[in-house]
Amino acid sequence: MAEFARHYFFIRIWAAPATLALMVFKGWFIGMQNTVAPMVCDIVVNVVNMAASYLLAVHTPLGLLGVAHGTVIAQYVGLVTAFVFLGFKYGHLIRENFSKIRIFNGLGRGFKLSGNLFIRSLGFMAIYVGFTALASKYGDEQLAVSAIMMKLFMLFSYFVDGFAYAGEALTGRFIGADDKRQLHRAVKILFRWSVGIGLLFTVVYAAAGEWSVRLMTDDAAVIAAARPFLPWLIAMPLVSCLAFMWDGIYIGATAGTAVRNCMLWAALGFILGYLACYRFWGVQAIYVGYFVHLLVRTAYLSAKWMKGKIVERWRG
């Protein structure tokens, strides 16, 4: 198994340049308010990945290693797709402005933002890895329940993330244009849509929470063990929707320090929430900690926004 994993890794790693380049392209396209191009790139990557992996794994001597080759092929096909979008849609802009491009302009600012977002990602990892690691202490059944609950939490996040991406693009545009009126209007609209999606998912999870769990497992013991945690699932959309929305707005404003500090406080909230409750509530304390982290994110970023300094203090 270790030998197979080693071979798989040294094949799969060749996709890294394309994967990283695709991340750059997706960010740039979203910054240009073009969300179609990233969506098409993702669809192409996934379709090619499935097709190539199946063909190489089943119809060639590569066997399971064909999956690694298929993934590498898919990433580079996705990268070519991104270049095609860039050439056809933005080629004229690049040609007209090529002489004005200064590669090193704003490089320090970019590194600063990337560093803050990297620390933020570490905070995310501490929470999500911690959630699973703590659940494993309570046995395999609770570990299975936590995995299902997290997938259902993340399912909601995929829907509301669309508004976070819109927030990134619109905030960057209006701050760049120094148009505070449009910035505040965009935030109000995003707020309404985010809360609306939160309410919709609250109703869906209230009506079909156990059914959602059954979609992911047919193990009766796991389904029964999940029932005490369904109230967390119902509460999660409204508790978290603004946290996701603010993330997009602050990243669009290049407010790296704020999102970094917010996530550090949120990670601390997760830890303290768990430690305060685990002796009394057992495994439920993990969910207490998770919800504390969501509340910290919402409260911290909302408070910062209410101070009205997002453009003046955080731009750059």
Side-chain angles (χ1 to χ4, degrees):
M1 182 61 72
E3 187 65 23
F4 173 80
R6 190 176 298 110
H7 283 302
Y8 191 97
F9 172 82
F10 283 110
I11 296 167
R12 181 69 175 81
I13 195 64
W14 286 100
T19 302
L20 293 172
L22 269 172
M23 290 179 182
V24 174
F25 271 112
K26 289 176 187 177
W28 192 82
F29 286 137
I30 291 171
M32 294 294 289
Q33 276 118 81
N34 179 354
T35 53
V36 173
M39 180 187 70
V40 171
C41 288
D42 281 340
I43 292 172
V44 168
V45 168
N46 282 284
V47 170
V48 173
N49 193 2
M50 288 187 290
S53 296
Y54 173 77
L55 290 172
L56 292 174
V58 177
H59 297 287
T60 74
L62 289 169
L64 287 176
L65 290 177
V67 176
H69 287 282
T71 303
V72 173
I73 291 168
Q75 292 295 319
Y76 282 99
V77 172
L79 182 59
V80 170
T81 305
F83 272 113
V84 169
F85 264 108
L86 183 70
F88 277 96
K89 191 165 181 65
Y90 304 105
H92 66 287
L93 291 176
I94 295 172
R95 288 189 295 271
E96 291 169 6
N97 296 281
F98 187 79
S99 62
K100 302 175 185 177
I101 296 173
R102 299 291 182 268
I103 295 175
F104 295 105
N105 277 11
L107 195 60
R109 182 174 155 193
F111 275 122
K112 181 181 178 181
L113 178 61
S114 297
N116 284 327
L117 293 180
F118 175 73
I119 295 171
R120 170 180 175 266
S121 297
L122 292 179
F124 266 123
M125 288 178 62
I127 293 165
Y128 286 93
V129 173
F131 189 94
T132 302
L134 290 170
S136 70
K137 293 173 56 178
Y138 295 90
D140 292 344
E141 198 172 87
Q142 289 299 332
L143 180 60
V145 170
S146 73
I148 291 170
M149 294 295 289
M150 186 54 68
K151 287 183 186 300
L152 293 173
F153 288 167
M154 296 306 293
L155 175 64
F156 166 73
S157 76
Y158 295 145
F159 281 83
V160 80
D161 268 350
F163 297 101
Y165 289 139
E168 287 183 33
L170 293 173
T171 301
R173 174 183 176 181
F174 294 135
I175 287 180
D178 197 22
D179 191 339
K180 294 180 186 178
R181 187 180 69 82
Q182 286 291 82
L183 172 63
H184 286 274
R185 180 172 177 270
V187 171
K188 287 179 181 178
I189 293 172
L190 289 168
F191 178 91
R192 291 168 187 160
W193 273 100
S194 298
V195 172
I197 294 295
L199 284 169
L200 174 63
F201 266 81
T202 295
V203 173
V204 169
Y205 283 152
E210 185 170 326
W211 179 79
S212 301
V213 173
R214 289 179 181 275
L215 282 178
M216 299 190 182
T217 181
D218 58 1
D219 189 309
V222 173
I223 294 169
R227 289 190 186 111
F229 303 97
L230 292 180
W232 295 112
L233 183 63
I234 296 168
M236 184 274 304
L238 280 177
V239 172
S240 65
C241 62
L242 294 184
F244 292 119
M245 180 201 77
W246 284 130
D247 275 348
I249 290 169
Y250 278 62
I251 291 171
T254 65
T257 302
V259 294
R260 178 201 69 198
N261 291 345
C262 175
M263 188 49 60
L264 292 176
W265 283 113
L268 180 62
F270 171 77
I271 295 168
L272 293 178
Y274 173 75
L275 291 176
C277 300
Y278 80 98
R279 288 190 180 127
F280 312 104
W281 293 351
V283 67
Q284 292 276 7
I286 303 172
Y287 296 84
V288 172
Y290 186 78
F291 269 68
V292 169
H293 120 266
L294 291 174
L295 289 169
V296 169
R297 287 168 61 189
T298 297
Y300 184 96
L301 295 178
S302 297
K304 287 286 186 183
W305 175 261
M306 293 300 290
K307 290 182 178 179
K309 300 295 184 181
I310 187 168
V311 179
E312 291 86 350
R313 291 180 58 189
W314 295 337
R315 188 181 174 194

